[in-house]
Amino acid sequence: MVKPDFNTLPEEHRHILRLAQQRHDIEVILLAELVGGRTGAVLYLASVSSAESAQVEHFILKLDRVHEKARMDEIKRHRLAWSQAPVDFACQHMAELTHEVKKGEQIAIFYTIAGQSLHRFRPLASYERQSQLETILSSSNYYLLEWWNATRTIEQAVHPQSLLDRWLGYRLKPEGRLC
């Protein structure tokens, strides 16, 4: 794995990264590019040192564009998910957003590493065997339904199509496809 070179990044990424370092008084060293996602964002494993605490931590750094058609940007969605999750679930299973910078269309987000390590984790797209995907997805369903939604109840019967539209309406294209 080749260590990313800051100077080879596109200027827009270098600019937002410099801005993040200035605003949060941190130094960022890119350790490795993380590949396998499909959103168009660029992800890195980054070493971040704080001038205030002299402590070095590892984070996931996401460099992306703000999508103008989205009702909420990723920072707001993450904070909303964190606030709605049961506290135990959030602490055990969700990455924490530690620093963020948004300037124009550019965004830089630093996340803690869920589980504190990337040694046992990789992107879902890297799993090819059907049995692996079934295990991962069934476990995810269990945790989301049994832990996250443990206290949720259905207050009123709603047609499944209406429910999906309420949950995913911002992702549905008029021709019925997900975007």
Side-chain angles (χ1 to χ4, degrees):
M1 187 177 296
V2 177
K3 182 179 172 185
D5 180 4
F6 181 83
N7 296 318
T8 63
L9 294 176
E11 178 54 36
E12 59 196 19
H13 291 165
R14 289 193 311 245
H15 177 72
I16 195 75
L17 202 45
R18 282 191 297 268
L19 188 58
Q21 292 181 113
Q22 291 169 355
R23 282 195 186 163
H24 297 289
D25 199 17
I26 57 176
E27 181 182 349
V28 178
I29 298 173
L30 303 177
L31 300 175
E33 185 173 2
L34 305 174
V35 296
R38 297 184 180 161
T39 66
V42 181
L43 297 169
Y44 292 99
L45 175 60
S47 177
V48 178
S49 58
S50 168
E52 181 179 303
S53 68
Q55 185 176 6
V56 175
E57 297 179 86
H58 291 106
F59 294 111
I60 302 297
L61 167 62
K62 182 173 188 177
L63 301 171
D64 202 1
R65 291 186 165 277
V66 176
H67 302 283
E68 72 240 13
K69 292 183 181 179
R71 285 189 295 172
M72 286 191 282
D73 64 32
E74 182 165 347
I75 295 167
K76 290 177 185 170
R77 287 193 311 267
H78 186 83
R79 287 191 175 134
L80 179 64
W82 188 273
S83 72
Q84 291 181 347
V87 175
D88 289 346
F89 182 91
C91 291
Q92 291 180 27
H93 299 286
M94 294 177 68
E96 191 174 342
L97 191 151
T98 61
H99 309 295
E100 82 274 345
V101 174
K102 190 164 49 169
K103 176 83 173 185
E105 292 183 347
Q106 295 301 312
I107 193 166
I109 307 170
F110 294 81
Y111 292 103
T112 58
I113 300 172
Q116 312 312 314
S117 171
L118 293 179
H119 290 294
R120 294 181 20 223
F121 301 95
R122 56 185 207 236
L124 189 58
S126 70
Y127 293 94
E128 295 178 5
R129 292 193 345 240
Q130 183 69 24
S131 62
Q132 292 173 315
L133 292 171
E134 287 173 6
T135 300
I136 292 167
L137 295 175
S138 66
S139 295
S140 298
N141 284 338
Y142 170 79
Y143 284 114
L144 290 174
L145 294 174
E146 296 297 322
W147 285 26
W148 182 299
N149 288 318
T151 61
R152 303 280 191 235
T153 59
I154 297 175
E155 298 172 6
Q156 162 186 350
V158 178
H159 189 275
Q161 189 171 356
S162 299
L163 191 58
L164 281 174
D165 186 52
R166 188 169 15 158
W167 288 346
L168 301 172
Y170 70 99
R171 290 192 180 263
L172 294 174
K173 291 186 176 180
E175 63 273 8
R177 295 182 312 134
L178 287 174
C179 54

PDB file of all heavy atoms in Angstrom, residues 29-52:
ATOM      1  N   ILE A  29      -1.647  13.727   8.757  1.00  0.00           N
ATOM      2  CA  ILE A  29      -0.772  12.947   7.889  1.00  0.00           C
ATOM      3  C   ILE A  29      -1.607  11.826   7.304  1.00  0.00           C
ATOM      4  O   ILE A  29      -2.218  11.045   8.046  1.00  0.00           O
ATOM      5  CB  ILE A  29       0.431  12.374   8.670  1.00  0.00           C
ATOM      6  CG1 ILE A  29       1.278  13.514   9.227  1.00  0.00           C
ATOM      7  CG2 ILE A  29       1.258  11.452   7.777  1.00  0.00           C
ATOM      8  CD1 ILE A  29       2.385  13.069  10.147  1.00  0.00           C
ATOM      9  N   LEU A  30      -1.661  11.763   5.987  1.00  0.00           N
ATOM     10  CA  LEU A  30      -2.424  10.724   5.311  1.00  0.00           C
ATOM     11  C   LEU A  30      -1.609   9.437   5.310  1.00  0.00           C
ATOM     12  O   LEU A  30      -0.480   9.416   4.848  1.00  0.00           O
ATOM     13  CB  LEU A  30      -2.750  11.152   3.883  1.00  0.00           C
ATOM     14  CG  LEU A  30      -3.510  12.476   3.751  1.00  0.00           C
ATOM     15  CD1 LEU A  30      -3.707  12.837   2.281  1.00  0.00           C
ATOM     16  CD2 LEU A  30      -4.827  12.420   4.482  1.00  0.00           C
ATOM     17  N   LEU A  31      -2.195   8.373   5.853  1.00  0.00           N
ATOM     18  CA  LEU A  31      -1.475   7.098   5.955  1.00  0.00           C
ATOM     19  C   LEU A  31      -1.798   6.158   4.804  1.00  0.00           C
ATOM     20  O   LEU A  31      -0.912   5.476   4.301  1.00  0.00           O
ATOM     21  CB  LEU A  31      -1.812   6.422   7.286  1.00  0.00           C
ATOM     22  CG  LEU A  31      -1.456   7.207   8.537  1.00  0.00           C
ATOM     23  CD1 LEU A  31      -1.959   6.477   9.773  1.00  0.00           C
ATOM     24  CD2 LEU A  31       0.047   7.430   8.609  1.00  0.00           C
ATOM     25  N   ALA A  32      -3.077   6.094   4.414  1.00  0.00           N
ATOM     26  CA  ALA A  32      -3.469   5.180   3.343  1.00  0.00           C
ATOM     27  C   ALA A  32      -4.803   5.608   2.775  1.00  0.00           C
ATOM     28  O   ALA A  32      -5.690   6.056   3.517  1.00  0.00           O
ATOM     29  CB  ALA A  32      -3.576   3.751   3.873  1.00  0.00           C
ATOM     30  N   GLU A  33      -4.947   5.480   1.457  1.00  0.00           N
ATOM     31  CA  GLU A  33      -6.247   5.728   0.848  1.00  0.00           C
ATOM     32  C   GLU A  33      -7.090   4.477   1.043  1.00  0.00           C
ATOM     33  O   GLU A  33      -6.618   3.351   0.874  1.00  0.00           O
ATOM     34  CB  GLU A  33      -6.109   6.050  -0.639  1.00  0.00           C
ATOM     35  CG  GLU A  33      -7.433   6.416  -1.261  1.00  0.00           C
ATOM     36  CD  GLU A  33      -7.308   6.909  -2.695  1.00  0.00           C
ATOM     37  OE1 GLU A  33      -6.191   6.933  -3.235  1.00  0.00           O
ATOM     38  OE2 GLU A  33      -8.357   7.266  -3.262  1.00  0.00           O
ATOM     39  N   LEU A  34      -8.333   4.678   1.428  1.00  0.00           N
ATOM     40  CA  LEU A  34      -9.265   3.572   1.625  1.00  0.00           C
ATOM     41  C   LEU A  34     -10.145   3.493   0.390  1.00  0.00           C
ATOM     42  O   LEU A  34     -10.789   4.476   0.021  1.00  0.00           O
ATOM     43  CB  LEU A  34     -10.101   3.784   2.884  1.00  0.00           C
ATOM     44  CG  LEU A  34      -9.293   4.003   4.164  1.00  0.00           C
ATOM     45  CD1 LEU A  34     -10.205   4.341   5.330  1.00  0.00           C
ATOM     46  CD2 LEU A  34      -8.451   2.776   4.480  1.00  0.00           C
ATOM     47  N   VAL A  35     -10.165   2.357  -0.254  1.00  0.00           N
ATOM     48  CA  VAL A  35     -10.901   2.215  -1.503  1.00  0.00           C
ATOM     49  C   VAL A  35     -12.020   1.195  -1.348  1.00  0.00           C
ATOM     50  O   VAL A  35     -12.019   0.399  -0.426  1.00  0.00           O
ATOM     51  CB  VAL A  35      -9.963   1.795  -2.661  1.00  0.00           C
ATOM     52  CG1 VAL A  35      -8.950   2.880  -2.941  1.00  0.00           C
ATOM     53  CG2 VAL A  35      -9.255   0.489  -2.346  1.00  0.00           C
ATOM     54  N   GLY A  36     -12.948   1.241  -2.273  1.00  0.00           N
ATOM     55  CA  GLY A  36     -14.027   0.269  -2.281  1.00  0.00           C
ATOM     56  C   GLY A  36     -15.393   0.908  -2.175  1.00  0.00           C
ATOM     57  O   GLY A  36     -16.394   0.264  -2.406  1.00  0.00           O
ATOM     58  N   GLY A  37     -15.465   2.183  -1.832  1.00  0.00           N
ATOM     59  CA  GLY A  37     -16.753   2.848  -1.741  1.00  0.00           C
ATOM     60  C   GLY A  37     -17.264   3.236  -3.112  1.00  0.00           C
ATOM     61  O   GLY A  37     -16.548   3.166  -4.102  1.00  0.00           O
ATOM     62  N   ARG A  38     -18.517   3.664  -3.154  1.00  0.00           N
ATOM     63  CA  ARG A  38     -19.119   4.000  -4.447  1.00  0.00           C
ATOM     64  C   ARG A  38     -19.754   5.384  -4.462  1.00  0.00           C
ATOM     65  O   ARG A  38     -20.504   5.702  -5.362  1.00  0.00           O
ATOM     66  CB  ARG A  38     -20.177   2.956  -4.788  1.00  0.00           C
ATOM     67  CG  ARG A  38     -19.572   1.585  -4.944  1.00  0.00           C
ATOM     68  CD  ARG A  38     -20.571   0.580  -5.362  1.00  0.00           C
ATOM     69  NE  ARG A  38     -19.903  -0.707  -5.491  1.00  0.00           N
ATOM     70  CZ  ARG A  38     -20.506  -1.850  -5.499  1.00  0.00           C
ATOM     71  NH1 ARG A  38     -21.804  -1.897  -5.387  1.00  0.00           N
ATOM     72  NH2 ARG A  38     -19.830  -2.957  -5.624  1.00  0.00           N
ATOM     73  N   THR A  39     -19.468   6.210  -3.484  1.00  0.00           N
ATOM     74  CA  THR A  39     -20.138   7.497  -3.390  1.00  0.00           C
ATOM     75  C   THR A  39     -19.423   8.598  -4.151  1.00  0.00           C
ATOM     76  O   THR A  39     -19.988   9.661  -4.361  1.00  0.00           O
ATOM     77  CB  THR A  39     -20.251   7.949  -1.924  1.00  0.00           C
ATOM     78  OG1 THR A  39     -18.934   8.204  -1.415  1.00  0.00           O
ATOM     79  CG2 THR A  39     -20.963   6.930  -1.073  1.00  0.00           C
ATOM     80  N   GLY A  40     -18.193   8.387  -4.544  1.00  0.00           N
ATOM     81  CA  GLY A  40     -17.411   9.433  -5.177  1.00  0.00           C
ATOM     82  C   GLY A  40     -16.555  10.198  -4.187  1.00  0.00           C
ATOM     83  O   GLY A  40     -15.703  10.981  -4.573  1.00  0.00           O
ATOM     84  N   ALA A  41     -16.786   9.983  -2.899  1.00  0.00           N
ATOM     85  CA  ALA A  41     -15.962  10.621  -1.874  1.00  0.00           C
ATOM     86  C   ALA A  41     -14.599   9.938  -1.845  1.00  0.00           C
ATOM     87  O   ALA A  41     -14.451   8.797  -2.273  1.00  0.00           O
ATOM     88  CB  ALA A  41     -16.623  10.499  -0.508  1.00  0.00           C
ATOM     89  N   VAL A  42     -13.608  10.651  -1.319  1.00  0.00           N
ATOM     90  CA  VAL A  42     -12.275  10.099  -1.154  1.00  0.00           C
ATOM     91  C   VAL A  42     -12.064   9.881   0.344  1.00  0.00           C
ATOM     92  O   VAL A  42     -12.295  10.795   1.145  1.00  0.00           O
ATOM     93  CB  VAL A  42     -11.206  11.057  -1.721  1.00  0.00           C
ATOM     94  CG1 VAL A  42      -9.822  10.468  -1.576  1.00  0.00           C
ATOM     95  CG2 VAL A  42     -11.497  11.379  -3.177  1.00  0.00           C
ATOM     96  N   LEU A  43     -11.647   8.668   0.714  1.00  0.00           N
ATOM     97  CA  LEU A  43     -11.455   8.321   2.118  1.00  0.00           C
ATOM     98  C   LEU A  43     -10.002   7.976   2.391  1.00  0.00           C
ATOM     99  O   LEU A  43      -9.352   7.314   1.576  1.00  0.00           O
ATOM    100  CB  LEU A  43     -12.320   7.115   2.501  1.00  0.00           C
ATOM    101  CG  LEU A  43     -13.825   7.296   2.393  1.00  0.00           C
ATOM    102  CD1 LEU A  43     -14.529   5.965   2.548  1.00  0.00           C
ATOM    103  CD2 LEU A  43     -14.312   8.273   3.432  1.00  0.00           C
ATOM    104  N   TYR A  44      -9.525   8.412   3.558  1.00  0.00           N
ATOM    105  CA  TYR A  44      -8.157   8.111   3.968  1.00  0.00           C
ATOM    106  C   TYR A  44      -8.135   7.672   5.421  1.00  0.00           C
ATOM    107  O   TYR A  44      -8.941   8.130   6.232  1.00  0.00           O
ATOM    108  CB  TYR A  44      -7.266   9.366   3.863  1.00  0.00           C
ATOM    109  CG  TYR A  44      -7.028   9.811   2.453  1.00  0.00           C
ATOM    110  CD1 TYR A  44      -7.777  10.840   1.910  1.00  0.00           C
ATOM    111  CD2 TYR A  44      -6.049   9.216   1.667  1.00  0.00           C
ATOM    112  CE1 TYR A  44      -7.572  11.265   0.603  1.00  0.00           C
ATOM    113  CE2 TYR A  44      -5.838   9.633   0.369  1.00  0.00           C
ATOM    114  CZ  TYR A  44      -6.608  10.655  -0.160  1.00  0.00           C
ATOM    115  OH  TYR A  44      -6.387  11.061  -1.444  1.00  0.00           O
ATOM    116  N   LEU A  45      -7.192   6.820   5.726  1.00  0.00           N
ATOM    117  CA  LEU A  45      -6.810   6.593   7.103  1.00  0.00           C
ATOM    118  C   LEU A  45      -5.804   7.697   7.386  1.00  0.00           C
ATOM    119  O   LEU A  45      -4.845   7.871   6.637  1.00  0.00           O
ATOM    120  CB  LEU A  45      -6.161   5.215   7.275  1.00  0.00           C
ATOM    121  CG  LEU A  45      -5.604   4.909   8.666  1.00  0.00           C
ATOM    122  CD1 LEU A  45      -6.693   4.969   9.729  1.00  0.00           C
ATOM    123  CD2 LEU A  45      -4.921   3.544   8.661  1.00  0.00           C
ATOM    124  N   ALA A  46      -6.059   8.477   8.436  1.00  0.00           N
ATOM    125  CA  ALA A  46      -5.214   9.637   8.710  1.00  0.00           C
ATOM    126  C   ALA A  46      -4.738   9.634  10.150  1.00  0.00           C
ATOM    127  O   ALA A  46      -5.470   9.257  11.062  1.00  0.00           O
ATOM    128  CB  ALA A  46      -5.987  10.919   8.420  1.00  0.00           C
ATOM    129  N   SER A  47      -3.510  10.056  10.328  1.00  0.00           N
ATOM    130  CA  SER A  47      -2.941  10.270  11.652  1.00  0.00           C
ATOM    131  C   SER A  47      -3.105  11.757  11.953  1.00  0.00           C
ATOM    132  O   SER A  47      -2.687  12.603  11.164  1.00  0.00           O
ATOM    133  CB  SER A  47      -1.460   9.884  11.639  1.00  0.00           C
ATOM    134  OG  SER A  47      -0.891  10.147  12.884  1.00  0.00           O
ATOM    135  N   VAL A  48      -3.724  12.051  13.081  1.00  0.00           N
ATOM    136  CA  VAL A  48      -4.031  13.441  13.425  1.00  0.00           C
ATOM    137  C   VAL A  48      -3.434  13.760  14.784  1.00  0.00           C
ATOM    138  O   VAL A  48      -3.696  13.071  15.769  1.00  0.00           O
ATOM    139  CB  VAL A  48      -5.556  13.685  13.449  1.00  0.00           C
ATOM    140  CG1 VAL A  48      -5.877  15.109  13.861  1.00  0.00           C
ATOM    141  CG2 VAL A  48      -6.174  13.351  12.096  1.00  0.00           C
ATOM    142  N   SER A  49      -2.615  14.786  14.802  1.00  0.00           N
ATOM    143  CA  SER A  49      -2.042  15.230  16.080  1.00  0.00           C
ATOM    144  C   SER A  49      -2.603  16.600  16.411  1.00  0.00           C
ATOM    145  O   SER A  49      -2.708  17.472  15.558  1.00  0.00           O
ATOM    146  CB  SER A  49      -0.519  15.250  16.033  1.00  0.00           C
ATOM    147  OG  SER A  49      -0.069  16.078  15.001  1.00  0.00           O
ATOM    148  N   SER A  50      -2.944  16.749  17.675  1.00  0.00           N
ATOM    149  CA  SER A  50      -3.525  17.994  18.161  1.00  0.00           C
ATOM    150  C   SER A  50      -2.453  18.807  18.864  1.00  0.00           C
ATOM    151  O   SER A  50      -1.744  18.303  19.728  1.00  0.00           O
ATOM    152  CB  SER A  50      -4.664  17.677  19.138  1.00  0.00           C
ATOM    153  OG  SER A  50      -5.056  18.828  19.823  1.00  0.00           O
ATOM    154  N   ALA A  51      -2.357  20.076  18.499  1.00  0.00           N
ATOM    155  CA  ALA A  51      -1.389  20.957  19.157  1.00  0.00           C
ATOM    156  C   ALA A  51      -1.766  21.164  20.618  1.00  0.00           C
ATOM    157  O   ALA A  51      -0.900  21.314  21.475  1.00  0.00           O
ATOM    158  CB  ALA A  51      -1.329  22.301  18.436  1.00  0.00           C
ATOM    159  N   GLU A  52      -3.056  21.127  20.909  1.00  0.00           N
ATOM    160  CA  GLU A  52      -3.545  21.365  22.265  1.00  0.00           C
ATOM    161  C   GLU A  52      -3.189  20.228  23.221  1.00  0.00           C
ATOM    162  O   GLU A  52      -2.727  20.454  24.325  1.00  0.00           O
ATOM    163  CB  GLU A  52      -5.066  21.546  22.231  1.00  0.00           C
ATOM    164  CG  GLU A  52      -5.692  21.822  23.570  1.00  0.00           C
ATOM    165  CD  GLU A  52      -7.195  22.007  23.436  1.00  0.00           C
ATOM    166  OE1 GLU A  52      -7.609  22.893  22.666  1.00  0.00           O
ATOM    167  OE2 GLU A  52      -7.927  21.261  24.094  1.00  0.00           O
TER     168      GLU A  52
END
